[in-house]
Amino acid sequence: MVKFREKYIQISMVIITLVMTILRFLLNEKGRTNPDSIRYMRFAHGLPEIDNTTTPLGYPAAIEFFTFFGFDEFWSSKLVGIISFLFIIFFTWKKNFYFKESIVLVALFGFLSIFSYTMSEALTLPFVLLLLYSATLVITEKIVKWQGIFYLTLSLIAIYNIRYSAMFMVVGTGLFGLLYWKRKFAPSFIISGILGFIFIILYKFLFIDYFNESYVEQFLNIGLHTTPELLVELFQGLCTTFNPFIHIANPGGGIINYGIYGIGFLNILLIIFLFVKKKLSDVESFFIVIGVSGIVCSYFIQYFYSVNAIDYRLMAPFSFPIWLIYFRKLFEIFGIKIYVIGFLSLMTGLVFTWLSKGNYLENRKEMMNFLQSENLDKVPLKFYLESEEDLEKIQIVELISTINPQIRITFKPKDSLQKTTLTRYKVLQKIKIDKNKYQ
């Protein structure tokens, strides 16, 4: 009876999570996109021509793959996110590998938001899961040494081809082997880490440098932020990352942020308490090493590399294994009651999504009519901005990119005189966009 009831709970949660994922981007005025999404969709549209090296090939290639079935780049990116979510559920069920934990994990509003986003983290997570599964097989000696090295290395290379931050997982894999160097499985992790590092070097010289020799120099900048600034951002980022209900703080500040950060901080303390109190197995230790090393590396790279502040999205590949172990421990203590966390997070997400709702389909229709009437729906475009900080104008670009991904931002005033260069005024004098009032 208990197993039947749990199965019913699991099926319900997966269905609700799927519906919420779709609603998350349909009830957003620009379909859950950001400036990086523009680059991904433009990159995908231009393949096999390489548009830039700011991002690896993996995610744009996945988007482009689904365009062969008649979808445009925007809808293809949403398919990638939904299929990534479903793959995690199917794989963990088929392999009986953290299945219960994964169901609750993907139902968390933060991860649901990732699967609905046109961003590469959605595609990264299934490959992180494959890395964790391969590591489990190696540690439990279910596959032989060289076979283990092959699967570990292949997983690391696959993740790196989707997100450059996978280099931190390469570090974590090698570090785990060194920390457990006396164990039989240690050489597999050390060798895989070394091979992964060699691939990163080759990728840099054979791909990145080939298309953009100055890429690294453009992004390297010592002294970008002070330590106090970074520590505050680290605290805030981790508190939202490990808040199971709300993953976004109010940028304007206010008393609500005390609650958001407070819940996340208390949850982090509980995670640490459980990991210390309940002895971790070697497999669980690998999960934690991968997660913690990724977070630590993400923090220190900010001292000399231009990246966004730590948040739930950037931390998703590294928080993913930590959440799995955390839920495993909670299930051991509280049983099926832990599914309540998933349902509460879904409810919170529904309220947040409804309060901040916009109408993407209506905005898409308006923008489509405008672009078609101006014969701008299938030609390369530019959008003039005075500064990158003008978020309202950038949102118009993001909406345009979901219809015509061949758009670039320009800061040159003379470009605004061209017919194929749009401005906020040119667009809004002819159409009205439904906006989210909670920016």
Side-chain angles (χ1 to χ4, degrees):
M1 181 65 180
V2 175
K3 290 220 174 208
F4 175 78
R5 185 170 61 178
E6 184 174 10
K7 184 178 181 180
Y8 177 78
I9 291 171
Q10 292 170 343
I11 294 172
S12 300
M13 187 169 287
V14 170
I15 292 173
I16 295 171
T17 303
L18 176 60
V19 172
M20 275 293 299
T21 301
I22 297 171
L23 289 177
R24 184 77 173 106
F25 64 80
L26 289 183
L27 294 179
N28 180 269
E29 71 272 16
K30 51 196 176 67
R32 289 285 290 163
T33 54
N34 70 9
D36 286 337
S37 306
I38 301 171
R39 183 186 302 115
Y40 284 125
M41 290 188 284
R42 189 178 66 234
F43 196 161
H45 185 84
L47 286 174
E49 181 182 336
I50 303 300
D51 178 81
N52 66 86
T53 56
T54 306
T55 173
L57 282 167
Y59 184 57
I63 293 175
E64 180 62 13
F65 172 77
F66 286 104
T67 63
F68 291 112
F69 299 95
F71 300 97
D72 63 21
E73 285 76 14
F74 173 79
W75 294 115
S76 293
S77 73
K78 301 311 176 188
L79 266 179
V80 170
I82 290 171
I83 290 173
S84 296
F85 150 65
L86 293 176
F87 174 85
I88 290 173
I89 296 299
F90 177 77
F91 184 86
T92 54
W93 168 73
K94 191 72 176 175
K95 299 295 183 180
N96 193 24
F97 182 72
Y98 291 88
F99 176 55
K100 295 187 297 185
E101 296 81 0
S102 295
I103 287 178
V104 180
L105 177 53
V106 297
L108 297 183
F109 187 37
F111 282 93
L112 184 153
S113 294
I114 287 169
F115 292 121
S116 65
Y117 221 156
T118 298
M119 290 296 288
S120 61
E121 284 82 8
L123 184 61
T124 304
L125 294 177
F127 289 96
V128 172
L129 178 66
L130 292 177
L131 172 65
L132 299 176
Y133 181 70
S134 300
T136 301
L137 295 180
V138 173
I139 294 170
T140 55
E141 299 182 16
K142 291 184 179 177
I143 54 178
V144 297
K145 179 180 177 181
W146 291 108
Q147 193 178 13
I149 292 172
F150 173 77
Y151 285 120
L152 285 172
T153 305
L154 189 63
S155 298
L156 291 171
I157 290 174
I159 300 170
Y160 186 79
N161 274 283
I162 301 169
R163 282 197 67 79
Y164 289 140
S165 62
M167 69 175 69
F168 304 149
M169 291 192 167
V170 172
V171 172
T173 300
L175 177 62
F176 177 76
L178 293 174
L179 290 173
Y180 290 82
W181 66 275
K182 289 185 178 181
R183 306 289 174 87
K184 195 173 181 181
F185 55 73
S188 298
F189 289 90
I190 295 172
I191 294 172
S192 298
I194 292 171
L195 292 175
F197 186 69
I198 291 172
F199 176 83
I200 291 172
I201 294 174
L202 291 174
Y203 193 94
K204 196 266 182 189
F205 287 107
L206 299 180
F207 176 72
I208 295 177
D209 284 357
Y210 179 80
F211 292 100
N212 185 1
E213 290 184 1
S214 61
Y215 171 77
V216 175
E217 289 75 12
Q218 287 173 354
F219 284 86
L220 283 178
N221 195 344
I222 306 297
L224 282 170
H225 307 282
T226 64
T227 297
E229 288 176 332
L230 291 178
L231 287 176
V232 169
E233 288 180 355
L234 175 66
F235 174 79
Q236 294 174 340
L238 290 181
C239 287
T240 49
T241 295
F242 289 101
N243 184 322
F245 308 116
I246 302 176
H247 58 278
I248 303 171
N250 181 1
I255 194 169
I256 191 172
N257 283 353
Y258 288 102
I260 295 172
Y261 295 139
I263 293 172
F265 181 65
L266 290 175
N267 197 44
I268 290 172
L269 292 180
L270 181 57
I271 290 172
I272 295 171
F273 173 76
L274 286 179
F275 288 176
V276 171
K277 184 178 179 181
K278 288 186 162 288
K279 187 178 179 182
L280 297 173
S281 66
D282 289 342
V283 170
E284 292 171 336
S285 295
F286 174 76
F287 283 40
I288 304 306
V289 169
I290 281 291
V292 173
S293 63
I295 292 171
V296 171
C297 290
S298 297
Y299 169 78
F300 282 106
I301 200 171
Q302 294 175 103
Y303 280 100
F304 53 87
Y305 191 81
S306 178
V307 291
N308 293 339
I310 285 174
D311 66 359
Y312 78 99
R313 180 177 63 81
L314 294 181
M315 292 298 101
F318 311 119
S319 67
F320 186 82
I322 296 175
W323 276 111
L324 286 178
I325 302 302
Y326 179 45
F327 283 134
R328 169 64 58 92
K329 301 301 180 187
L330 290 178
F331 268 111
E332 291 173 358
I333 299 171
F334 300 104
I336 65 172
K337 296 183 183 71
I338 296 305
Y339 290 110
V340 172
I341 296 175
F343 282 116
L344 286 175
S345 191
L346 288 169
M347 289 172 59
T348 305
L350 180 60
V351 172
F352 180 90
T353 301
W354 185 256
L355 288 175
S356 61
K357 69 180 182 297
N359 191 331
Y360 171 70
L361 292 179
E362 183 61 33
N363 286 344
R364 180 186 175 93
K365 180 181 177 182
E366 285 280 319
M367 188 62 75
M368 176 78 79
N369 290 338
F370 167 74
L371 292 176
Q372 288 179 343
S373 66
E374 301 290 327
N375 294 319
L376 299 175
D377 56 321
K378 298 185 186 312
V379 297
L381 302 175
K382 290 181 182 179
F383 195 97
Y384 172 67
L385 290 177
E386 293 178 0
S387 71
E388 294 182 9
E389 284 70 40
D390 199 335
L391 296 178
E392 187 175 358
K393 293 179 182 178
I394 290 179
Q395 288 176 341
I396 296 174
V397 188
E398 292 161 0
L399 178 59
I400 294 172
S401 73
T402 67
I403 300 164
N404 183 354
Q406 304 177 80
I407 187 167
R408 295 176 183 272
I409 294 173
T410 179
F411 299 99
K412 300 176 181 177
K414 66 177 183 179
D415 287 344
S416 63
L417 301 175
Q418 300 172 6
K419 185 180 184 302
T420 54
T421 299
L422 295 173
T423 65
R424 179 174 178 270
Y425 175 75
K426 285 181 182 179
V427 174
L428 296 186
Q429 72 171 339
K430 294 193 176 183
I431 66 171
K432 183 179 180 181
I433 295 175
D434 178 43
K435 296 179 184 177
N436 162 21
K437 56 186 177 183
Y438 294 98
Q439 293 296 331

